Amino acid sequence: MGPAGDTVPIAELLDERRHLLEVAHRMLGSAVAAERVIDEAYREWYGLTDRQRSRIGSPRAWLSQIVGAICLERLTPPDPYGTAQRCVGERGQCDTGPEGGVGAVLPPKPETLSPAERAAFVLSDALGTAVGTVEGSPGQPEPECAEPANRARHSLRTRRAQPASPSRQDGIAHAVRQACADEDAGRLASLLTPDVTAFFDGGGKVRTVTRPVTGSEGVARSLLTLLARHPRTTLRTHPVNGSTGLVARYDDQVAAVVALDVAGSRVVEVWVVLNPDKLRSWNRPRP
């Protein structure tokens, strides 16, 4: 069974990314630069091993620290004499001198701070703690051998004996949506084949499952966690890739697009797009 327990609700994913963008924007003063920093921070998250990620008690706090460290690196000018604060080894393990932390050495008036000092102040305020106190630090990623998604997709397609008609596809998609809305794991699992596989495409830009989830129970749990009911989320059926799928919105923003491949009377494959870049076309204002 795949790592269903790693799934994160959409509301948490979007709130986390918005928080990180706000921290980076406040530190750098540029929305474009902030986006680049966030991408780099998530690359570091995915560079960790599964074991390292599991030891991080608060991924949001860890990512905030990484964002702050990246921003500080970009704001701090070269120091040929080695007298300025320096981060050695891994991000988040900073040598700040005998004062004991970035926040402890900041002057009281923001207008007197250098850009790097102001950035450190923003980071400390966002984390509610001094830099370097969040548990868990990135290490060198271990090599992982995973079958490419397109190979898995081809394998599943070759095993299909009865492709679903458009009306059957539409009916199954509506049943899946209703089971998700009712948070009925048993009913949702019954709509999936025993060997169903779900793929989650976050593009390395949001925190999501890193490998395919397999099995009806695991996929059902993953979908119910991702699509958990929230006052600001909605789930509707919608045409996706020429057939009926699901679209989840957070406020007015499309946060996930779910394609369902149906054979016979059940879903054999699920594709969940969470990558913000791929969802931009869904979020463009309509003329």
Side-chain angles (χ1 to χ4, degrees), residues 26 52 63 73 81 85 138 150 157 171 182 202 251:
R26 288 172 63 192
Q52 287 171 324
L63 285 163
E73 288 178 0
Y81 301 104
Q85 171 185 304
N150 59 352
R157 283 189 180 281
D182 295 339
D251 292 335

Side-chain angles (χ1 to χ4, degrees), residues 5-83:
D6 294 341
T7 313
V8 180
I10 280 177
E12 182 177 338
L13 286 178
L14 270 291
D15 281 343
E16 175 182 279
R17 183 172 176 84
R18 288 176 180 178
H19 166 75
L20 297 176
L21 284 169
E22 180 181 354
V23 171
H25 192 194
R26 288 172 63 192
M27 295 175 76
L28 300 177
S30 165
V32 173
E35 286 276 1
R36 293 172 180 167
V37 167
I38 301 310
D39 290 348
E40 186 174 343
Y42 278 113
R43 280 196 296 270
E44 296 216 14
W45 170 262
Y46 286 111
L48 302 177
T49 64
D50 290 342
R51 183 176 180 181
Q52 287 171 324
R53 283 193 294 267
S54 69
R55 294 172 60 187
I56 297 174
S58 174
R60 173 168 166 158
W62 186 92
L63 285 163
S64 296
Q65 178 175 325
I66 298 302
V67 166
I70 296 171
C71 290
L72 285 172
E73 288 178 0
R74 297 191 178 187
L75 287 171
T76 304
D79 185 7
Y81 301 104
T83 56

Side-chain angles (χ1 to χ4, degrees), residues 65-66 69 87 90-94 131-134 138:
Q65 178 175 325
I66 298 302
C87 291
E90 300 168 344
R91 292 197 205 276
Q93 296 180 350
C94 298
V131 177
T133 61
V134 180

Side-chain angles (χ1 to χ4, degrees), residues 129-174:
T129 184
V131 177
T133 61
V134 180
E135 291 186 2
S137 56
Q140 295 299 321
E142 295 178 357
E144 296 180 354
C145 298
E147 185 179 22
N150 59 352
R151 187 176 302 173
R153 184 181 181 88
H154 174 74
S155 176
L156 284 171
R157 283 189 180 281
T158 60
R159 289 154 48 196
R160 295 178 188 171
Q162 299 177 342
S165 65
S167 61
R168 176 61 60 87
Q169 170 82 31
D170 185 70
I172 294 296
H174 279 82

